[in-house]
Coordinates of all heavy atoms in Angstrom, one line a residue:
F1051 N 17.0 -0.9 18.6 CA 17.0 -2.2 17.9 C 16.6 -3.3 19.0 O 15.9 -4.3 18.6 CB 18.3 -2.5 17.2 CG 18.3 -2.0 15.8 CD1 17.9 -0.7 15.5 CD2 18.5 -2.8 14.7 CE1 17.8 -0.2 14.2 CE2 18.4 -2.4 13.4 CZ 18.1 -1.0 13.1
G1107 N 21.6 12.1 9.3 CA 20.3 12.3 10.0 C 19.1 12.6 9.1 O 18.0 12.7 9.5
L1125 N 14.0 -11.3 -5.8 CA 14.2 -11.0 -4.4 C 14.5 -9.5 -4.3 O 14.1 -8.8 -3.4 CB 15.3 -11.9 -3.8 CG 15.6 -11.8 -2.3 CD1 14.3 -12.0 -1.5 CD2 16.6 -12.8 -1.9
L1134 N 7.6 -0.4 1.6 CA 6.1 -0.1 1.6 C 5.5 -0.4 2.9 O 4.7 0.4 3.4 CB 5.5 -0.9 0.5 CG 4.9 -0.2 -0.7 CD1 5.9 0.6 -1.4 CD2 4.3 -1.2 -1.7
E1144 N 0.8 5.6 2.2 CA 0.6 4.6 1.2 C 1.5 4.9 0.0 O 1.3 6.0 -0.6 CB -0.8 4.6 0.6 CG -1.9 4.4 1.6 CD -2.3 2.9 1.7 OE1 -1.7 2.1 1.0 OE2 -3.2 2.6 2.5
K1148 N 7.7 1.7 -8.3 CA 8.0 1.9 -9.7 C 9.0 0.8 -10.1 O 10.0 0.7 -9.5 CB 8.7 3.3 -10.0 CG 9.1 3.4 -11.4 CD 9.8 4.8 -11.7 CE 10.4 4.8 -13.1 NZ 11.9 4.5 -13.1
D1152 N 11.9 1.0 -7.1 CA 11.9 2.3 -6.5 C 10.6 2.5 -5.7 O 9.5 2.0 -6.2 CB 11.9 3.4 -7.6 CG 13.3 3.7 -8.1 OD1 14.2 3.3 -7.5 OD2 13.3 4.3 -9.2
L1160 N 10.8 8.2 -3.0 CA 11.0 8.2 -1.5 C 12.1 7.4 -1.2 O 12.8 7.6 -0.2 CB 9.7 7.7 -0.8 CG 9.7 7.7 0.7 CD1 9.7 9.2 1.2 CD2 8.6 6.9 1.3
T1173 N 29.3 -19.8 -0.2 CA 28.0 -19.2 -0.1 C 27.9 -17.8 -0.8 O 28.8 -17.0 -0.8 CB 27.6 -18.9 1.4 OG1 27.9 -20.1 2.1 CG2 26.1 -18.6 1.6
F1191 N 17.5 18.6 -0.8 CA 17.5 17.9 -2.0 C 18.3 18.5 -3.1 O 18.8 17.9 -4.0 CB 16.1 17.6 -2.5 CG 15.4 16.4 -1.8 CD1 14.1 16.6 -1.3 CD2 16.0 15.2 -1.6 CE1 13.4 15.5 -0.8 CE2 15.4 14.1 -1.1 CZ 14.1 14.3 -0.6
A1195 N 15.2 18.1 -5.9 CA 13.9 18.6 -5.5 C 13.0 18.6 -6.8 O 13.4 18.9 -7.9 CB 14.0 20.0 -5.0
Q1223 N 13.7 -9.1 6.9 CA 13.8 -10.5 7.3 C 12.6 -11.3 6.9 O 12.6 -12.4 6.5 CB 13.9 -10.5 8.9 CG 15.3 -10.3 9.4 CD 15.3 -10.5 10.9 OE1 14.8 -9.6 11.7 NE2 15.9 -11.6 11.4
S1227 N 12.4 -14.5 4.4 CA 11.9 -15.8 4.8 C 10.7 -16.2 4.0 O 10.5 -17.4 3.7 CB 11.7 -15.9 6.3 OG 10.6 -15.1 6.7
D1230 N 11.0 -18.1 0.5 CA 11.1 -19.5 0.5 C 9.6 -20.0 0.7 O 9.2 -20.1 1.9 CB 11.9 -20.1 1.7 CG 13.4 -20.1 1.3 OD1 13.7 -20.1 0.1 OD2 14.2 -20.2 2.2
E1232 N 6.7 -18.7 -0.3 CA 5.6 -17.8 -0.6 C 5.9 -16.8 -1.7 O 5.4 -15.7 -1.7 CB 5.2 -17.0 0.7 CG 4.5 -17.8 1.7 CD 4.0 -17.0 2.9 OE1 3.7 -15.8 2.7 OE2 3.9 -17.5 4.0
G1262 N 7.0 1.3 -25.1 CA 6.0 0.2 -25.0 C 5.1 0.5 -23.9 O 5.2 1.5 -23.2
R1277 N 4.8 -4.2 -27.2 CA 5.5 -3.3 -28.2 C 5.4 -3.9 -29.6 O 5.7 -5.1 -29.7 CB 7.0 -3.1 -27.8 CG 7.7 -2.1 -28.6 CD 9.1 -1.9 -28.0 NE 10.1 -2.9 -28.2 CZ 10.9 -2.9 -29.3 NH1 10.9 -1.9 -30.1 NH2 11.8 -3.8 -29.5
I1289 N 13.9 1.8 -16.5 CA 12.9 2.3 -17.4 C 12.5 3.7 -16.9 O 12.7 4.0 -15.8 CB 11.6 1.4 -17.3 CG1 11.0 1.3 -15.9 CG2 11.8 0.0 -17.8 CD1 9.5 1.0 -15.8

Side-chain angles (χ1 to χ4, degrees):
F1051 271 54
L1125 186 54
L1134 243 58
E1144 303 267 2
K1148 174 181 171 263
D1152 279 345
L1160 181 73
T1173 312
F1191 277 136
Q1223 278 186 285
S1227 67
D1230 274 340
E1232 288 186 31
R1277 185 171 79 91
I1289 58 154

